[in-house]
Amino acid sequence: MRILITGAGGQVGRELLDVFSDYELCGTDHRALDITDRSAVLELVTSFRPNAIVHAAAWTAVDACEQDPDRAFAVNALGTRHLAESARRVGAHLTAFSTDYVFDGTKAEPYVEWDTPNPQSVYGRSKLAGERELAAVPDSATIRTSWVCGLHGQNMVKTILRLATEHDTLRFVDDQRGHPTFARDLAKAVRRLVADRRCGIYHATN
């Protein structure tokens, strides 16, 4: 089984490479593949001809997305469109990541897969647009997750540990709630979904 993993240099992507290591892999990061380049995406997918694509590439800098919505939509929406088109051409199963930012945060209980999205940020809107592009692929799965942390890259756990060495008192914004998600656990969950060629929307957090 051949697996193409985009965003392979990121927190989750590096864990995906590990959990899929017994498959024939093609892992790309933003330097190797510009997912906003339709021709480049089509060329890679049609030459490698994967059985499954795990699309982990995204622009997740929430504040920066507000300043550059064109880039946010180019990466998070059009990039997903290019992967979806390519997956249809070769008959590959496509799994892509989304986020809790597609919701408005007003619900008192945890969100479930059938709740209606209502994003309040450019990042959230761009990821929801990516979800809609994915819906054009019958053989696809969307995985919404939140607060990812792990060994690789920057994340909130590493930030807190760094701040704890620099300050006697820690101060935080208190207007958000969520579930931290370990990148390794998320990658293992994705492997199960891909192996079963699961379709639909899944909420996956620790």
Side-chain angles (χ1 to χ4, degrees):
M1 187 173 182
R2 292 184 302 278
I3 308 286
L4 170 64
I5 298 173
T6 69
Q11 279 194 105
V12 178
R14 291 171 71 174
E15 298 290 359
L16 288 167
L17 289 176
D18 193 38
V19 302
F20 282 108
S21 61
D22 53 335
Y23 290 86
E24 183 179 346
L25 287 179
C26 176
T28 67
D29 61 13
H30 66 277
R31 291 178 293 272
L33 177 66
D34 177 4
I35 62 169
T36 68
D37 184 338
R38 176 177 176 269
S39 296
V41 173
L42 286 170
E43 180 180 356
L44 175 62
V45 173
T46 55
S47 60
F48 183 61
R49 301 194 72 82
N51 304 105
I53 299 171
V54 182
H55 177 34
W59 194 30
T60 60
V62 177
D63 293 336
C65 286
E66 293 294 327
Q67 305 303 316
D68 193 351
D70 288 343
R71 180 185 173 191
F73 276 85
V75 175
N76 295 335
L78 286 178
T80 304
R81 176 184 293 181
H82 302 331
L83 266 301
E85 179 185 0
S86 301
R88 289 196 303 271
R89 289 200 181 194
V90 300
H93 180 272
L94 176 59
T95 301
F97 291 94
S98 190
T99 172
D100 57 334
Y101 276 80
V102 299
F103 298 111
D104 58 20
T106 59
K107 186 180 178 184
E109 299 81 26
Y111 283 95
V112 297
E113 289 84 345
W114 301 276
D115 285 325
T116 301
N118 184 29
Q120 301 297 297
S121 65
V122 170
Y123 172 63
R125 290 194 293 273
S126 69
K127 293 297 286 183
L128 180 60
E131 288 189 15
R132 289 172 175 163
E133 295 293 343
L134 201 68
V137 184
D139 194 10
S140 66
T142 298
I143 301 177
R144 293 175 180 150
T145 191
S146 64
W147 295 18
V148 177
C149 53
L151 292 175
H152 309 291
Q154 294 302 310
N155 56 64
M156 62 180 179
V157 174
K158 291 182 179 181
T159 298
I160 291 171
L161 290 173
R162 175 179 57 80
L163 291 174
T165 65
E166 300 171 354
H167 304 281
D168 293 330
T169 302
L170 298 180
R171 293 178 173 84
F172 302 94
V173 296
D174 60 359
D175 62 347
Q176 294 187 45
R177 294 185 182 182
H179 281 281
T181 305
F182 292 108
R184 181 71 174 188
D185 293 340
L186 183 59
K188 289 178 179 178
V190 170
R191 180 184 167 114
R192 292 198 299 271
L193 293 173
V194 171
D196 290 344
R197 293 184 76 98
R198 295 288 186 97
C199 300
I201 296 174
Y202 297 87
H203 288 184
T205 65
N206 284 110

